[in-house]
Amino acid sequence: MNLAEMSIKEIRDQIEKMDEVSKDFLQWLHEDKRKGVNELARQVEQAQERKAKLARQWEEMTTFERALRAEGYIHLLGIDEVGRGPLAGPVVAAAVSLPADFYLPGLNDSKKLPAATREAFCEVIKSQALAVGVGIVSADRIDEINILEATKEAMKLAIKQAGIIPDACLIDAVQLKDLPYKQLPIIGGDGKSVSIAAASVVAKVTRDKMMSEYAKEYPQYSFEKNAGYGTAEHLSALERYGMTPIHRRSFTGVKAQA
């Protein structure tokens, strides 16, 4: 391959066809006297660094999964919830079992991902997961038993909906009573375990879609933007229009309107 005889566009096209750009090829790009080719070398190196960083992050976030599988726990369920803090809407939990060879670089705590990335990742997770379950507990039930117990109830529902008998459950921070499986509660688990992160993504995408549907029924509250959290706009709407049936009457900020 004679780079000197190729245009910058031809070199770029050649790079795009490569699975991996070799060190020798990168060296040729650097030694080319054209600034545009040198810029291509810089871009390739940046892309390789990003790829390597994501691979290292994945290695770190599969530490718990690899340790459990090494101990003989094969079928793992990651469990997480979203919606503990909002003033309106349900709390939603998800339980996800990923194959041992699953790889989705960039998967992380759903709150750290842009909405478009979350939705794309959710589709990948659902299509490749061994099992996915979702548990939903309403605002009325939250008021009845409190948000912590509602969270645990949603998690148990998600496990049941997953439809598998797990060897072990990796759970974001919470310990569940009367669960006949090994549990590994991990504080900040959605940023430390790919199984919990996957559950976090599924739960958040599910809940956000629900809140967008509620926004059509109660447009004054902008649920499609605030997902039921107590933003200034939401609090102002509460004061002006009062509660809806999906508001959590036991929560501060809503109580005042009771």
Side-chain angles (χ1 to χ4, degrees), residues 2 11 29-30 42 45-46 59 63 67 69 71 116 130-131 158 172 177 184 214 217 222 232 234 248 256:
N2 189 344
I11 296 172
L29 296 180
H30 278 299
R42 188 185 69 82
E45 287 176 333
Q46 286 183 334
E59 187 74 8
T63 299
R69 288 190 172 105
E71 293 176 18
L130 301 174
D172 187 32
K177 291 182 179 179
L184 186 60
Y214 281 129
E217 191 171 354
S222 301
H234 185 182
R248 302 173 183 180

Side-chain angles (χ1 to χ4, degrees), residues 43-61:
Q43 292 173 3
V44 168
E45 287 176 333
Q46 286 183 334
Q48 289 180 336
E49 288 172 5
R50 286 194 297 270
K51 184 177 180 181
K53 181 179 179 181
L54 289 174
R56 289 193 299 271
Q57 180 192 54
W58 187 265
E59 187 74 8
E60 292 173 0
M61 288 187 64

Side-chain angles (χ1 to χ4, degrees), residues 51-215:
K51 184 177 180 181
K53 181 179 179 181
L54 289 174
R56 289 193 299 271
Q57 180 192 54
W58 187 265
E59 187 74 8
E60 292 173 0
M61 288 187 64
T62 54
T63 299
F64 293 105
E65 283 81 358
R66 286 184 282 108
L68 285 168
R69 288 190 172 105
E71 293 176 18
Y73 299 98
I74 304 303
H75 302 295
L76 310 180
L77 263 183
I79 302 153
D80 198 12
E81 54 71 35
V82 295
R84 289 180 70 169
L87 305 181
V91 61
V92 176
V96 177
S97 178
L98 300 173
D101 61 353
F102 182 81
Y103 186 58
L104 184 57
L107 178 60
N108 206 330
D109 173 3
S110 63
K111 298 185 293 297
K112 297 179 180 178
L113 300 174
T117 302
R118 277 199 305 268
E119 291 172 9
F121 279 9
C122 187
E123 292 304 312
V124 173
I125 292 163
K126 286 183 174 180
S127 67
Q128 297 186 22
L130 301 174
V132 176
V134 173
I136 300 170
V137 173
S138 70
D140 284 345
R141 182 64 173 162
I142 292 168
D143 289 334
E144 181 182 346
I145 61 176
N146 78 51
I147 186 59
L148 178 58
E149 292 306 314
T151 295
K152 293 177 179 179
E153 187 169 288
M155 287 180 167
K156 289 181 178 179
L157 285 170
I159 294 169
K160 183 178 180 180
Q161 290 298 318
I164 67 168
I165 298 175
D167 295 323
C169 296
L170 300 94
I171 309 176
D172 187 32
V174 175
Q175 182 87 28
L176 300 177
K177 291 182 179 179
D178 304 320
L179 196 67
Y181 320 115
K182 177 181 175 64
Q183 295 182 57
L184 186 60
I186 304 170
I187 296 174
D190 44 10
K192 297 176 181 178
S193 157
V194 293
S195 299
I196 298 176
S200 170
V201 167
V202 172
K204 182 156 180 59
V205 169
T206 300
R207 188 178 189 279
D208 284 352
K209 287 181 178 178
M210 292 181 69
M211 295 309 294
S212 291
E213 288 301 311
Y214 281 129

